[in-house]
Amino acid sequence: MSGLCGWLAAGGAAGLATADGGAPTALASMAAPLSRFDSAPKAASISEVGGVAVAAIDGSRHVYQQDGLQVAIWGRPVLEGSADDVASRLGALWLSRGVAACASLSGPFCLAILDAFSGSALLAVDRAGMHPLSYAGNAQGLFFASSLDALLAHPSVRGTLDPQALYHYLYFHMVPGPATAYLGQQRLLPGEYLHVRGGKQCKGSYWQLAFHEPAARTRATFASNKQEFLRLLRLAVENSLGSDSASTGAFLSGGTDSSTLAAIMGQVTGRPARTYSIGFDAPGYDEMAYARLAASHAGSIHHERYVTPGDVLAAIPAMAAIFDQPFGNASAIPAYYCARMAREDGITRLLGGDGGDELFGGNERYAYQALLSQYERLPVMLRQAIIEPLLFRERTTKPWRLGDKARRYIEQASLPLPARLDGYNLLLRHGYRTVLEAGFIDTVDPGMAPGCMNGAYWERQGQGLSQINELLALDMRFTLADNDLFKVRKACELAGVEAAFPFLHDAMVAFASRLAPRDKLDGRRLRPFFKRALAEILPPAIVRKQKHGFGLPFGLWLHSHAPLREFAFDNLTQLRGRGIVRPAFIDDLQGRLLAEHPAYHGTMVWLLLMLEQWLSQHPAALGALAGGFAANATETPGVLDPTA
């Protein structure tokens, strides 16, 4: 929770052209948004070249200043085997190693180093992107913050809303990095650094996820892999507990990842873990029975809460306010109520199971993509001369249900990866020209959204990786860093709780990258190694269950809860005047589409509702929007302009 902020002034003018009060006032303005929800204490440093500040609870707040050097770290990193005095030791490494000092850090962090002697700055984020950091450069200097709200609080940073980011939000349900919601502001990707010296910026990676796919004859035995996995799992949980393990709890959804953490916490601490679960009184959405089973099996002290439509209605404004850019993952709401329940119970730190699916092969789409890939292995002659003419010829007989399924399978299988991952994309299904206003479309490039996925996916081509590892790498970037971690971290921040993710411990990531592909996906069996290694720790029913999570039954509740429906539709009415979404589509969505498929089209209602709420909760963005999108059409979306 909380974060880091600051700037490196151009030409060594620490005060810059700031408002009354100079540099201290500017730094306080930037730091204020970082702790407005959790009231975390702050530490700050100002010198002749710039200023840094960190707002965070004890143990996650590190600021060091000496001899023209300022070091600020948000998080709980370990530096070459020790977490003690990390800021001063990092400063010494910077002086001796330069940007290579980043590689000496492990764990969750973002950092800023200002060096008065060289007039340079170093920014970096951890290897999984658990702690984000955004930046902007202009004639006054380099500005940075872990929250865009904090970045915009400096008077020298402008906030012009990027229409391309809004398009990406509607496409991905979030804004993928390195772009942000604002023109001229970018975000560091996992394992990246930014080095600025003499007005020149150099961005690079100090670490990248690298898979090592062992040949069959060199693979470690299951027994040795299991022993190493369980050792690293205990180590990851120990490191994630913090100094006060009694105030640390765990999310418990009843899935394999969260159930594993609950069990290991009890083993590591020698006392029952404190676990927290959310349920829904809606058919097909409630997983509380599995959470109870996991809690009973682990012997945890378990707490439950059922989220209601009224709870959702009450949380939406605050949830939209805490997001520093548009974000449409509705499961942030139950995550928030789970974290709030824990905070009311005295918990200040919550362990989440995020990362387990992306490291060990736990998402259902991995198995489905493997099934689709089997079609392209058939001989070309068989596919093109026999199967496809038979299935796609003009119908002369009564409908054939099996044939319809086969046609849909071939249509999807014929698409290349990663394009076929977008098979259920709402914006593509409806067509962006049906959903969006023509004037808005003129300011964006619709091809940039799939281009984001293609670029990240094709970075791995030529490395000879299996399909499962290619998909895992893609999900580590998009599903995890840009979505799930952001969701959990912000939900916890709103509740006043710090989030930790043991599965993303650096040693655990390295271990998973060395596992054979068949240990992650065997045919259509998801993460066989993970489940087999934990067979003695987890109840059999949880090992066998399908992944579910904290999905919110929002579409169903729109029909059954009139106040929630009225609130949602009022926000859609307000959105009509923004020049983004076509009023005719909103009419169709509220009427025919929602009635046809409440769950599927309820997601689109949620996306538009949260977009309107985000705009109304962020005056800087709303002010930029008031000028219309035509004025922004000449600017290059998502590109940092160091001379702006």
Side-chain angles (χ1 to χ4, degrees):
M1 60 186 183
S2 305
L4 176 154
C5 65
W7 70 84
L8 174 71
L16 296 174
T18 62
D20 291 344
T25 298
L27 190 58
S29 296
M30 293 184 77
L34 298 176
S35 59
R36 71 185 187 276
F37 291 102
D38 54 30
S39 301
K42 307 179 188 72
S45 166
I46 295 177
S47 74
E48 66 273 19
V49 298
V52 291
V54 180
I57 63 175
D58 293 344
S60 292
R61 185 181 68 255
H62 315 273
V63 175
Y64 168 78
Q65 179 176 5
Q66 187 172 342
D67 298 331
L69 198 65
Q70 296 165 270
V71 180
I73 305 173
W74 170 42
R76 296 175 183 264
V78 175
L79 178 55
E80 296 185 335
S82 173
D84 297 332
D85 200 21
V86 64
S88 63
R89 294 176 61 214
L90 179 62
L93 281 176
W94 158 256
L95 294 175
S96 62
R97 302 183 188 177
V99 296
C102 300
S104 301
L105 286 169
S106 62
F109 70 87
C110 67
L111 67 85
I113 299 176
L114 306 184
D115 188 340
F117 291 108
S118 62
S120 63
L122 177 70
L123 310 178
V125 298
D126 62 70
R127 302 174 186 186
M130 289 180 276
H131 284 46
L133 193 60
S134 299
Y135 61 94
N138 58 38
Q140 283 73 48
L142 172 75
F143 305 87
F144 50 88
S146 52
S147 165
L148 296 173
D149 294 338
L151 192 57
L152 290 169
H154 195 286
S156 296
V157 179
R158 63 178 182 174
T160 302
L161 196 61
D162 185 354
Q164 189 70 50
L166 298 186
Y167 184 90
H168 284 168
Y169 164 74
L170 295 172
Y171 190 98
F172 294 110
H173 306 182
M174 49 80 177
V175 181
T180 71
Y182 299 96
L183 288 163
Q185 300 178 22
Q186 289 197 320
R187 188 166 77 249
L188 290 175
L189 297 178
E192 275 193 344
Y193 69 84
L194 178 73
H195 182 214
V196 178
R197 183 172 184 175
K200 296 182 178 181
Q201 300 177 0
C202 176
K203 186 164 70 171
S205 297
Y206 69 86
W207 178 88
Q208 288 185 321
L209 178 62
F211 292 97
H212 306 279
E213 300 190 357
R217 64 180 181 276
T218 61
R219 291 175 190 165
T221 65
F222 169 77
S224 62
N225 273 338
K226 174 184 175 182
Q227 182 180 17
E228 178 69 358
F229 170 64
L230 294 179
R231 182 187 73 81
L232 291 175
L233 187 56
R234 289 177 61 91
L235 176 64
V237 170
E238 287 175 358
N239 289 347
S240 299
L241 288 173
S243 57
D244 185 9
S245 60
S247 298
T248 302
F251 288 102
L252 183 57
S253 67
T256 52
D257 296 324
S258 62
S259 300
T260 296
L261 295 183
I264 298 298
M265 279 183 69
Q267 294 178 11
V268 167
T269 63
R271 58 177 179 271
R274 294 160 70 183
T275 54
Y276 302 86
S277 297
I278 290 297
F280 307 101
D281 188 13
Y285 286 86
D286 189 34
E287 293 279 283
M288 193 65 84
Y290 285 105
R292 290 168 181 161
L293 175 62
S296 175
H297 190 82
S300 68
I301 301 172
H302 191 52
H303 306 77
E304 301 175 355
R305 172 169 179 163
Y306 272 78
V307 170
T308 68
D311 291 331
V312 175
L313 185 59
I316 286 174
M319 205 83 249
I322 202 168
F323 296 140
D324 59 349
Q325 55 188 2
F327 187 70
N329 189 333
S331 62
I333 298 290
Y336 159 66
Y337 277 109
C338 198
R340 197 175 86 169
M341 173 173 51
R343 187 69 185 90
E344 292 169 351
D345 193 42
I347 293 295
T348 58
R349 189 169 173 79
L350 270 175
L351 307 190
D354 301 86
D357 288 327
E358 292 77 15
L359 290 173
F360 295 98
N363 287 320
E364 293 289 343
R365 60 180 170 275
Y366 303 148
Y368 186 59
Q369 292 304 319
L371 177 64
L372 292 176
S373 294
Q374 291 177 5
Y375 181 70
E376 63 189 24
R377 298 191 185 100
L378 295 176
V380 175
M381 185 63 69
L382 177 61
R383 284 185 278 143
Q384 295 182 355
I386 300 176
I387 297 176
E388 291 171 15
L390 176 65
L391 288 172
F392 289 93
R393 68 185 179 184
E394 187 176 351
R395 295 182 186 179
T396 58
T397 59
K398 63 181 180 180
W400 181 27
R401 189 172 181 182
L402 182 60
D404 290 339
K405 289 184 177 180
R407 278 189 290 273
R408 287 194 296 271
Y409 168 80
I410 292 173
E411 287 170 350
Q412 293 180 68
S414 298
L415 290 172
L417 282 169
R420 68 184 188 218
L421 296 173
D422 289 328
Y424 296 96
N425 186 286
L426 283 161
L427 198 57
L428 292 181
R429 281 290 183 96
H430 292 298
Y432 66 85
R433 295 193 182 277
T434 300
V435 177
L436 303 173
E437 292 275 29
F440 176 77
I441 295 172
D442 289 341
T443 67
V444 303
D445 177 3
M448 282 187 66
C452 290
M453 293 280 286
N454 287 332
Y457 184 80
W458 286 100
E459 285 176 0
R460 299 283 173 174
Q461 299 305 299
Q463 298 180 13
L465 294 182
S466 58
Q467 179 176 288
I468 179 61
N469 278 338
E470 290 176 341
L471 292 174
L472 293 178
L474 191 67
D475 273 353
M476 286 289 286
R477 160 81 181 276
F478 284 94
T479 304
L480 195 63
D482 285 336
N483 195 325
D484 290 344
L485 297 182
F486 182 80
K487 171 196 72 179
V488 176
R489 185 173 50 79
K490 285 297 188 181
C492 285
E493 181 182 343
L494 185 60
V497 176
E498 189 175 35
F501 308 99
F503 284 112
L504 295 175
H505 187 277
D506 292 338
M508 182 65 75
V509 173
F511 171 82
S513 71
R514 297 191 301 267
L515 278 180
R518 287 191 63 177
D519 286 333
K520 302 168 185 176
L521 182 67
D522 188 3
R524 296 190 65 189
R525 286 198 306 129
L526 297 170
R527 49 180 178 187
F529 167 78
F530 186 93
K531 292 180 177 180
R532 185 180 172 194
L534 293 169
E536 299 170 4
I537 294 176
L538 298 178
I542 287 179
V543 173
R544 293 192 302 264
K545 78 179 287 290
Q546 288 187 326
K547 180 177 174 59
H548 193 279
F550 280 171
L552 187 72
F554 179 71
L556 299 180
W557 284 347
L558 283 176
H559 280 276
S560 62
H561 194 266
L564 183 61
R565 181 173 62 252
E566 181 180 346
F567 177 80
F569 287 3
D570 283 348
N571 276 269
L572 265 58
T573 298
Q574 186 71 22
L575 187 63
R576 290 170 182 263
R578 306 290 191 200
I580 303 171
V581 183
R582 296 180 65 237
F585 176 75
I586 292 177
D587 290 338
D588 200 25
L589 179 63
Q590 294 180 172
R592 177 182 65 87
L593 294 175
L594 196 56
E596 287 177 356
H597 201 316
Y600 183 68
H601 294 296
T603 300
M604 180 58 90
V605 175
W606 179 265
L607 288 175
L608 300 184
L609 155 66
M610 291 306 291
L611 175 58
E612 172 57 33
Q613 276 289 300
W614 184 82
L615 290 169
S616 64
Q617 295 285 343
H618 291 78
L622 194 58
L625 186 61
F629 288 103
N632 298 333
T634 57
E635 299 193 55
T636 304
V639 176
L640 179 66
D641 179 7
T643 63

